[in-house]
């Protein structure tokens, strides 16, 4: 395993961009990505909250044996205890592992597909968490890919399953299908018009939950929200996907309507806000995480509305990850103070955006 780790971690640290960040399909300006996560446990072994190191190693060996022993696996294995703290943080920032798995004291590991679409987290809250992330709104496709991995594992491993309750999980709210389906959405107009404050409670009453882009307990930085199903018991996978898709389509319509209203009633003020944010990320010398996220959101909206040109949306997606504290320090190969991170973040934004400029319409900096 050690050789696999040394090869794979370099590959996954090399670039900020991962597959789900490439804009894909209709409505990709609003729905940035789709995620399916399946929680599974092996029968006869305590849940991670109560198991022993021996139990953890048994689970690890069983899962990695199924996915890695093939001659053409397409997967790489990384054990959390072997990774420096910054590298674990970068994997969290790229949405490849959960914050919970990044704790090295939990005997955790991750098995990643080469294209970073599939992530199998081992010994997190449950023995197995199969995750698939796809760009844009692709709920059915993401589920199909996650289900294929699930089938591969279930052919070889005995899952903890009850005929009445379904898949048994560490947290009762995951029992049943064990599936969490989510979409990551950019909703700046609903946020600017404060309609989001009315919409979130309504979504919650429909059995869904709205969180920040890094899940439970995280902020909606840059007007990016994660909408997912709240319970997994009593509904089939198809019903969960259908419910989430219906709500997502309605949110898309509300966001588009809010954008039209902003353009028709407050165009000058809106353009002023968007171009001020563009100026900030093009020329600022200090950029805090929150300010960077807000400015990226404004520029993204400007591109979507045709107000701002000559910037590639993929660059903004890349900068969403580049601006995170872990990635900045990994890039610098050093631990940085907050001011040093803010300075480096601003410098990277200037260099990356000016390097991508194709005309004089967004200006040029004399020091890069």
């Amino acid at each position: 395993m050690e050789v696999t780790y040394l090869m794979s971690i370099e590959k996954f640290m090399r670039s900020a961009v991962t597959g789900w960040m490439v804009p894909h399909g209709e409505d990709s300006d609003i729905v940035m990505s789709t995620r399916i996560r399946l929680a599974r446990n092996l029968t006869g072994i305590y849940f991670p909250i109560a198991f022993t190191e021996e139990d953890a190693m048994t689970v690890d060996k069983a899962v990695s044996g199924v996915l890695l022993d093939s001659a053409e696996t397409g997967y790489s294995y990384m054990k959390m205890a072997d990774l420096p703290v910054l590298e674990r943080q970068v994997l969290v920032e790229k949405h490849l592992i959960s914050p919970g798995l990044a704790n090295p004291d939990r005997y955790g590991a991750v098995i990643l597909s080469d294209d970073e679409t599939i992530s199998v987290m081992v010994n997190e809250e449950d023995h197995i968490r199969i995750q698939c992330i796809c760009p844009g709104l692709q709920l059915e496709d993401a589920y199909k890919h996650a289900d294929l991995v699930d089938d591969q594992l279930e052919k070889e491993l005995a899952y903890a399953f009850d005929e009445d309750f379904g898949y048994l999980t560490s947290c009762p709210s995951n029992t049943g299908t064990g599936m969490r389906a989510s979409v990551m959405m950019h909703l700046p107009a609903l946020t600017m018009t404060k309609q989001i404050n009315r919409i979130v409670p309504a979504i919650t009453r429909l059995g869904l939950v709205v969180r920040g882009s890094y899940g439970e307990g995280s902020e909606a930085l840059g007007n990016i929200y994660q909408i997912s199903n709240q319970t997994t018991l009593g509904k089939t996978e198809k019903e969960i996907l259908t419910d989430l898709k219906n709500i997502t389509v309605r949110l898309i319509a509300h966001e588009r309507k809010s954008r039209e209203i902003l353009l028709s009633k407050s165009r000058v003020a809106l353009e002023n806000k968007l171009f001020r944010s563009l100026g900030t990320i093009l020329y600022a010398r200090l950029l805090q995480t929150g300010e960077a996220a807000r400015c990226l959101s404004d520029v993204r909206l400007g591109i979507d509305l045709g107000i701002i040109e000559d910037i590639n949306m993929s660059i903004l997606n890349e900068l969403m990850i580049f601006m995170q504290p872990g990635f900045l320090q990994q890039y610098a190969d050093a631990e940085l103070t907050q001011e040093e991170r803010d300075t480096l973040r601003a410098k990277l934004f200037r260099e990356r955006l000016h390097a991508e400029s194709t005309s004089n319409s967004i200006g040029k900096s004399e020091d890069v």
Side-chain angles (χ1 to χ4, degrees):
M1 290 297 185
E2 183 176 359
V3 174
T4 305
Y5 156 70
L6 290 174
M7 292 174 61
S8 61
I9 191 60
E10 180 183 351
K11 175 178 63 181
F12 293 114
M13 294 297 110
R14 189 178 301 137
S15 172
V17 176
T18 189
W20 66 264
M21 297 178 190
V22 179
H24 175 84
E26 189 178 0
D27 300 318
S28 61
D29 56 327
I30 296 175
V31 184
M32 300 174 67
S33 67
T34 301
R35 186 194 72 167
I36 298 293
R37 191 211 66 202
L38 304 175
R40 302 289 186 257
N41 289 280
L42 303 187
T43 187
I45 301 177
Y46 287 116
F47 293 134
I49 195 172
F51 69 6
T52 64
E53 182 176 0
E54 183 179 356
D55 292 331
M57 295 305 102
T58 298
V59 173
D60 189 303
K61 184 177 180 180
V63 176
S64 59
V66 174
L67 296 179
L68 299 176
D69 283 353
S70 170
E72 298 179 1
T73 68
Y75 290 105
S76 296
Y77 171 95
M78 284 165 271
K79 193 171 184 178
M80 292 300 106
D82 294 339
L83 294 180
V85 63
L86 282 180
E87 292 180 354
R88 296 196 304 271
Q89 189 174 348
V90 169
L91 291 175
V92 172
E93 292 170 355
K94 294 181 74 175
H95 297 269
L96 298 179
I97 67 172
S98 67
L101 189 72
N103 185 343
D105 298 328
R106 297 185 64 173
Y107 313 115
V110 64
I111 301 170
L112 290 172
S113 64
D114 290 342
D115 63 0
E116 303 183 15
T117 298
I118 297 291
S119 168
V120 180
M121 290 172 274
V122 183
N123 295 329
E124 195 231 27
E125 184 178 288
D126 293 289
H127 296 153
I128 305 168
R129 291 251 172 128
I130 302 164
Q131 173 182 280
C132 177
I133 303 184
C134 294
L137 182 57
Q138 298 190 76
L139 283 164
E140 293 82 4
D141 286 348
Y143 173 70
K144 179 181 177 181
H145 291 311
D147 192 45
L148 286 173
V149 179
D150 188 35
D151 288 344
Q152 183 181 359
L153 289 169
E154 195 165 15
K155 284 180 182 178
E156 305 291 335
L157 307 176
Y159 283 163
F161 184 85
D162 182 88
E163 290 295 333
D164 294 321
F165 293 102
Y167 293 102
L168 303 181
T169 56
S170 179
C171 179
S173 66
N174 290 324
T175 296
T177 62
M179 184 176 81
R180 295 282 182 179
S182 64
V183 290
M184 191 158 71
M185 304 186 72
H186 183 226
L187 304 174
L190 288 175
T191 305
M192 289 179 195
T193 58
K194 303 189 185 306
Q195 292 184 67
I196 197 71
N197 298 331
R198 173 180 55 83
I199 288 173
V200 169
I203 290 176
T204 302
R205 288 194 294 271
L206 294 172
L208 301 175
V209 62
V210 181
R211 299 186 172 109
S213 59
Y214 286 96
E216 189 172 359
S218 64
E219 297 179 69
L221 280 176
N223 304 316
I224 294 173
Y225 300 84
Q226 188 180 115
I227 296 93
S228 63
N229 60 302
Q230 196 160 23
T231 58
T232 69
L233 184 62
K235 288 186 177 181
T236 66
E237 290 89 347
K238 184 177 180 180
E239 288 171 336
I240 292 170
L241 295 176
T242 299
D243 289 347
L244 179 57
K245 187 169 185 177
N246 288 339
I247 291 296
T248 301
V249 170
R250 289 166 65 181
L251 278 172
I252 291 170
H254 283 306
E255 172 66 21
R256 293 211 185 283
K257 183 64 176 177
S258 295
R259 293 182 182 190
E260 291 173 6
I261 292 171
L262 286 172
L263 277 173
S264 63
K265 294 186 176 181
S266 310
R267 186 179 184 96
V268 174
L270 178 63
E271 289 183 348
N272 182 64
K273 175 180 171 61
L274 304 185
F275 278 110
R276 279 179 178 272
S277 291
L278 176 60
T280 296
I281 61 175
L282 280 171
Y283 299 108
R285 265 47 184 175
L286 290 171
L287 262 182
Q288 294 184 348
T289 304
E291 182 181 22
R294 176 183 59 78
C295 290
L296 284 177
S297 173
D298 287 347
V299 174
R300 178 186 298 276
L301 177 60
I303 294 171
D304 293 338
L305 296 176
I307 294 172
I308 295 175
E309 300 177 350
D310 302 320
I311 295 181
N312 190 319
M313 188 67 79
S314 295
I315 302 303
L316 300 188
N317 291 341
E318 174 186 319
L319 291 174
M320 280 175 52
I321 304 300
F322 236 165
M323 75 179 189
Q324 302 294 333
F327 210 100
L328 286 171
Q329 293 175 99
Q330 180 70 24
Y331 179 88
D333 195 23
E335 291 190 22
L336 304 175
T337 65
Q338 180 176 324
E339 183 174 349
E340 288 171 336
R341 293 197 301 270
D342 294 347
T343 302
L344 179 58
R345 183 181 294 113
K347 181 176 185 295
L348 290 175
F349 271 49
R350 294 197 308 273
E351 291 178 347
R352 192 70 182 94
L353 287 167
H354 284 292
E356 289 299 315
S357 299
T358 57
S359 75
N360 293 327
S361 62
I362 60 173
K364 292 186 177 180
S365 174
E366 296 179 357
D367 68 335
V368 293

